[in-house]
């Protein structure tokens, strides 16, 4: 038995899984590799908002769309469809490899192999669950998209920290904020605020202010490269007043980051040696 | 006077500058936005190796190619061409916003405005040097490309550190390695080794080993998504024996990163709450 792409199925259940990054949202930032994976797929699985952004690529596909916090259900469904012999794309906005779906798909495949689905195993598979062929296709992640809109804030060492404590204890997050701030990393904050945790971004700001001047540049990008995109270049002192939500990425400069023509720029270090 | 795209030049010298990321190398990972910028450009400026990877997009273009360490010359030339009224793409492999050309272009534009080119100023520009229209077009950066080849190592907070001390004092680099290792960040190492600094990756490893077990997963990706790509999943203990050069990205897992089917996976934290 062969699937749509001519690859042989194991017991008709092997299938193909693409974990696809669709970038910040507009079609012009989706790579040809990502489009091709979507084109080859029988089924597309993703969070509603991300699928809406690429709606025109999805005609003639089986589409499985679920809500924001149902990512485990989505990935389980994708694995099931693949094990049924289909070619499936799991869609992540941004890059599936950065705080997104790639890890979850592997974790679910691993738990399936480890026995969750033991009832399905047969002698023909030598007691091992067949697993689909899996390919991760990277996309332009929020950190790259947001940085490009702000100017060039990531020209030097940076730390990426999610402020969501849904899956991470808050004390671990605080420890990382302390470490990144004290070693003068540029700091990229994912998931800076949601209804359940409006105070986290303020707490993060306080921790960073223990190590950085209030005039340290802060860049705030909401919905990078989407309709209604909003880009603000401000500083640690004033950022409290800014409009920050879950669709926002916040980038705090290091001690050398400066503003020029309303752009946020972290020098690479050329001025030391090259006298530009 | 109008340039090729119909945009008005100031004194025939304004021009357009695109700072374009071409991703890991193959055309299938270049976004439509990047291709379109290259298509609209009169002149293409870049490092030889990156231009070779996109050779087929460059016919009919004025191409300015220089060697690895001549990035200041390249960017100056690009700014000059733009100020002469041309539409110019400055090409970076990966993402121009991550340790790459975006910042340098802005730094050169800023120094030009600040007086380096004062001789060129005329009364008509009100004493201000006109600056080109500048757009940064992000690309798939080495960290995203390498992570996708390793599995899913960047599912949790990570720090990106360049081991090149060409423009950064080594003690700053050591301080950041200490901070990132002690706070259990996944650590992405750029520029891990070159002829001039063969020992840096070993020193970095020693610093990380003060805070992590020798069995901590280490992923090594050489030439991600190019011909002769090499992907190795190993650990801190054994990584010393691996083939690491300037084209290599090294990713050190956090304390929870595991290996499954030779893939490097950092759990997002679902196992705490969702029992997968």
């Amino acid at each position: 038995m062969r699937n749509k792409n001519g690859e042989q199925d194991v017991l008709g259940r092997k299938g193909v899984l693409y974990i696809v990054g669709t970038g910040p949202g507009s079609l012009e930032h989706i790579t040809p590799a990502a489009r091709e994976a979507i084109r080859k797929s029988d089924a597309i699985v993703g969070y509603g908002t991300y699928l809406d952004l690429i709606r025109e690529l999805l005609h003639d596909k089986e589409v499985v769309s679920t809500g924001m916090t149902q990512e485990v259900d989505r990935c389980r469904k994708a694995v099931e469809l693949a094990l049924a012999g289909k070619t499936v794309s799991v869609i992540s906005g941004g890059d599936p490899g950065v705080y997104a779906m790639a890890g979850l798909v592997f974790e679910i495949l691993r738990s399936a192999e480890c026995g969750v689905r033991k009832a399905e195993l047969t002698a023909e598979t030598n007691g091992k669950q067949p697993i689909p062929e899996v390919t991760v296709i990277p996309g332009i992640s929020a950190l790259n998209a947001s940085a490009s809109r702000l100017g060039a804030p990531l020209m030097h060492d940076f730390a990426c920290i999610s402020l969501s404590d849904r899956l991470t204890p808050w004390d671990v997050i605080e420890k990382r904020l302390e470490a990144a701030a004290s070693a003068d990393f540029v700091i990229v904050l994912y998931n800076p605020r949601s209804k359940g945790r409006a105070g986290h971004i303020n707490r993060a700001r306080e921790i960073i202010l223990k190590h950085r001047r209030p005039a340290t540049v802060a860049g705030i990008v909401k919905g990078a490269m989407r309709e209604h995109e909003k880009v603000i270049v401000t500083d640690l002192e004033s950022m409290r007043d800014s409009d920050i939500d879950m669709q926002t990425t916040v980038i705090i400069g290091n001690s050398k980051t400066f503003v020029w023509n309303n752009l946020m720029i972290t020098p690479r270090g050329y001025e030391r040696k090259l006298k530009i």
Side-chain angles (χ1 to χ4, degrees), chain A:
Chain A
M1 187 178 172
R2 291 187 172 270
N3 63 19
K4 193 175 164 184
N5 303 308
E7 290 136 2
Q8 186 153 21
D9 293 344
V10 176
L11 303 177
R13 289 189 308 178
K14 196 184 172 202
V16 177
L17 258 179
Y18 296 112
I19 311 174
V20 179
T22 53
S26 75
L27 295 180
E28 63 175 337
H29 294 285
I30 299 182
T31 65
R35 285 186 85 121
E36 180 63 9
I38 293 169
R39 194 192 61 74
K40 287 198 291 194
S41 293
D42 306 303
I44 308 291
V45 179
Y47 167 50
T49 303
Y50 296 140
L51 296 186
D52 287 344
L53 293 165
I54 57 164
R55 185 61 58 193
E56 62 190 272
L57 305 180
L58 305 183
H59 52 86
D60 297 337
K61 309 285 182 192
E62 178 181 349
V63 174
V64 180
S65 162
T66 66
M68 183 67 162
T69 55
Q70 293 163 289
E71 62 269 36
V72 177
D73 293 343
R74 276 204 297 282
C75 288
R76 280 209 176 108
K77 183 69 186 169
V79 168
E80 270 170 38
L81 288 166
L83 289 175
K86 294 198 171 176
T87 298
V88 183
S89 281
V90 179
I91 303 294
S92 266
D95 184 333
V98 176
Y99 297 112
M101 306 305 274
L104 186 52
V105 170
F106 289 128
E107 288 190 72
I108 286 169
L109 285 168
R110 180 188 184 220
S111 71
E113 189 193 54
C114 293
V116 174
R117 289 167 191 283
K118 258 188 186 148
E120 287 180 41
L121 300 183
T122 66
E124 290 93 326
T125 59
N126 298 320
K128 262 200 128 180
Q129 171 80 356
I131 58 168
E133 225 186 281
V134 185
T135 308
V136 180
I137 298 171
I140 305 289
S141 60
L143 73 101
N144 302 271
S146 301
S148 77
R149 293 314 220 193
L150 286 164
L154 303 182
M155 288 297 109
H156 220 294
D157 304 328
F158 62 94
C160 225
I161 302 174
S162 166
L163 297 188
S164 168
D165 63 350
R166 192 161 76 96
L167 301 168
T168 307
W170 180 251
D171 62 327
V172 171
I173 298 171
E174 286 214 354
K175 191 179 174 191
R176 289 184 182 154
L177 287 164
E178 283 280 0
S182 70
D184 205 23
F185 281 97
V186 176
I187 301 175
V188 183
L189 300 175
Y190 272 64
N191 306 314
R193 181 183 277 165
S194 73
K195 275 187 189 142
R197 46 180 181 279
H200 286 185
I201 182 70
N202 293 335
R203 181 73 191 118
R205 175 181 166 277
E206 281 163 21
I207 292 170
I208 297 168
L209 270 170
K210 290 199 281 173
H211 303 274
R212 308 254 169 110
R213 290 173 299 112
T216 301
V217 187
I220 297 168
V221 182
K222 192 170 165 179
M225 294 173 168
R226 298 192 195 163
E227 245 189 325
H228 313 301
E229 175 194 78
K230 213 164 138 185
V231 179
I232 299 165
V233 176
T234 177
D235 59 28
L236 274 178
E237 178 66 29
S238 309
M239 65 175 275
R240 252 184 318 190
D241 310 322
S242 302
D243 179 17
I244 294 173
D245 65 10
M246 273 312 264
Q247 303 306 315
T248 305
T249 303
V250 176
I251 303 184
I252 311 292
N254 69 18
S255 59
K256 292 181 178 152
T257 303
F258 62 86
V259 177
W260 173 74
N261 275 345
N262 204 35
L263 296 165
M264 176 180 184
I265 300 162
T266 301
R268 180 76 186 91
Y270 289 102
E271 68 286 4
R272 282 178 64 229
K273 293 203 168 175
L274 301 169
K275 294 193 184 167
I276 54 170

